[in-house]
Amino acid sequence: MSEIKKSLNFLEQIVEEDLAKGMERSKLKFRFPPEPNGYLHIGHAASICLNFGLGIKYGAPVNLRFDDTNPEKEEQEYVDAIQKDIEWLGFEWAEVLYSSDYFQQLYDWAVRMIKDGKAYVDDQDSKLIAEQKGTPTQAGVNSPFRNRSIEENLDLFEKMKNGDFNEGTHVLRAKIDMTSPNMLMRDPLMYRILHRAHHRTGESWKIYPMYDWTHGESDYIEQISHSLCTLEFKHHRELYDWFLDQVYDAKDVRPKQREFARRNLSYTVMSKRKLLQLVEEGHVNGWDDPRMPTISGLRRRGYTPTSIRDFSETAGIAKRDNVTDLALLEFHIRQELNKVAPRVMAVLDPVKLVITNYPEGQEEMLTAENNPEDEDAGFRTVPFSREIYIEREDFREVANKKFFRLKLGKEVRLKNAYIIQANDVVKNENDEITEIHCTYDPDSKSGSGSEASQRKVKGTIHWVSIDHALEAEVRLYDRLFTDEAPDAHKDKDFKEFLNPESLKKIDKAFIEPSLATATAGDSFQFQRLGYFNVDPDSTNEKLVFNRTVALRDSWAKIQQKK
Ligand code: ATP
Ligand code: MG
């Protein structure tokens, strides 16, 4: 009885109810249907984790279906990137399929609908058609072409297909009900003419099916049992079902559309159109810029598949729209890296410190623990010498009692090394400190067990030996937008809220020499600073690091102070 049963989300409950009503378990099948018009983002991850998670839970297949009915916007680059990201997240699809594989079948069904008097060719332009649609409170009016003969419809539809007409001159519409309270049921478009090359079907098609006509039928062709989509499709469900009615055969599985709330994340935008704008206008350096909410951006930033999956799990699947705090995503990666990331020392804003009583030319290798959170992580050695760098902000000539770092006349411990006391400073003509002069207590070496080593001092600071340190570039990231919901302002463009300080580059940071062998993707905790990973921009000469996340969530505090 000790087993804790996790409560089911409402979509799992729907599946359970269907099984209870007699649906065979072996008939369960799901799909993830991205349009290949951009890179996947953290919102897509919610849908991926949901669909593939159901697949794992019920031992059911999950198809990856590219919903590729918009030749203008779709590209192979996106198809490849999407597959890479899903695999990286750790999921396996049953089949990779394309809506474009069904163009012929969809066309044949449309012809059948024309023959059944359920579809017609309209010669009006989109503006007129829109005007005749009416409003939610006012019925639409029938198109003058609504009742043309089946023969004429068949002839025109074939000509549309053959490319005999210009774009925008004709559309195929379902003949449903221009007075329906659901505007989507007022003779929706099924096909439009587009003389564009498609990334897979090339020049073969001059007409392309609309989303509503394609999606449900594709689900049916693949025999998807539960077609899960986001809330904005709720009103489409009636049409989804109507289109299914036109082709459904009782021996088959009848797909069921159900809706859940989109994942929104604070301080970013999630629409692919907007993300594309950021890329094309150069506000970020590509789709995988570490500030982007894309899966590829998060990967480059140092996020792991588990942290993203855990985040999706914690954030959950909701019935109503909501905004998830970015801090929750950061919490998950911080928690994971705390367990697995090796600790190292790096100094981002260096000031020179000379230990005047340490013999010139002497050096020693000190032992340092790789990860106190992981017993198996072992130890490494760190070189120590007379001249070291510390962070400029870790020293003050005078400071109050709350300043636990180094100040004149007081002691601190150098991490993994000795206790030092600051005695003096050297300044330049601008009154800036260029050197701090200290003395060390030779008996206070960390881990030596001596009485002096166990002496309590208030603070511990990190450092690197100047002679041994490597130079590195460090990229510090902050939120991409200064506003919690940058695209929720009616009168302002979301780009007005871009954070001008979202990237701060430090060209010359110093890191301990054990990092010489680090390679792209490796993650570390820079002690007292945060978690950092090696960026692919690194060269043999110089490593480049991204700050994945700070050690603590400082954002909330900064906001309070404002
Ligand atoms: P966008 O508005 O970002 O372009 P989209 O819905 O057009 O997104 P698709 O490629 O059509 O993107 O999405 C593939 C699947 O992922 C769909 O089932 C869609 O509902 C789901 N999805 C997209 N964005 C989110 C999100 N923010 N939260 C949850 N699911 C999402
Ligand atoms: Mg879409």
Side-chain angles (χ1 to χ4, degrees), residues 33-35 37 44 67 211 232-233 262 272:
E35 183 178 352
N37 62 348
H44 291 113
D67 194 359
Y211 171 86
E232 70 271 22
F233 290 102
R262 291 179 92 77
K272 280 182 282 190

Side-chain angles (χ1 to χ4, degrees), residues 351-391:
V351 61
K352 183 174 173 180
L353 186 153
V354 182
I355 301 164
T356 50
N357 62 338
Y358 194 89
E360 266 180 70
Q362 181 172 312
E363 62 175 50
E364 62 187 300
M365 297 304 283
L366 301 173
T367 304
E369 198 176 7
N370 283 332
N371 187 352
E373 300 290 322
D374 176 5
E375 281 178 12
D376 300 327
F379 296 86
R380 70 188 185 289
T381 52
V382 185
F384 184 74
S385 65
R386 181 180 155 93
E387 296 187 348
I388 63 176
Y389 287 128
I390 65 165
E391 299 289 348

Side-chain angles (χ1 to χ4, degrees), residues 31-48 50-51 65 67 82 211 215 227-233 260-265 269-275 317:
R31 91 285 173 263
F32 173 65
E35 183 178 352
N37 62 348
Y39 282 60
L40 296 181
H41 51 61
I42 188 76
H44 291 113
S47 176
I48 292 171
L50 170 67
N51 284 295
R65 183 197 316 140
D67 194 359
I82 288 170
Y211 171 86
H215 205 87
S227 177
L228 309 175
C229 60
T230 35
L231 279 180
E232 70 271 22
F233 290 102
F260 62 97
R262 291 179 92 77
R263 165 91 64 249
N264 299 304
L265 198 61
V269 294
M270 213 91 96
S271 126
K272 280 182 282 190
R273 186 176 54 80
K274 290 177 185 151
L275 295 175
I317 295 296

Side-chain angles (χ1 to χ4, degrees), residues 298-314:
L298 290 167
R299 174 167 59 233
R300 185 161 179 184
R301 175 87 172 248
Y303 276 79
T304 59
T306 10
S307 65
I308 295 175
R309 292 202 310 263
D310 289 351
F311 163 73
S312 295
E313 176 81 31
T314 323

Side-chain angles (χ1 to χ4, degrees), residues 47-90:
S47 176
I48 292 171
C49 291
L50 170 67
N51 284 295
F52 285 94
L54 285 167
I56 291 166
K57 176 165 182 167
Y58 293 101
V62 185
N63 286 346
L64 168 58
R65 183 197 316 140
F66 288 103
D67 194 359
D68 56 348
T69 56
N70 272 321
E72 303 132 283
K73 293 184 187 160
E74 295 157 3
E75 289 172 30
Q76 187 61 38
E77 177 198 344
Y78 299 136
V79 169
D80 297 337
I82 288 170
Q83 298 199 27
K84 178 178 171 184
D85 287 349
I86 297 173
E87 282 179 325
W88 179 76
L89 282 172

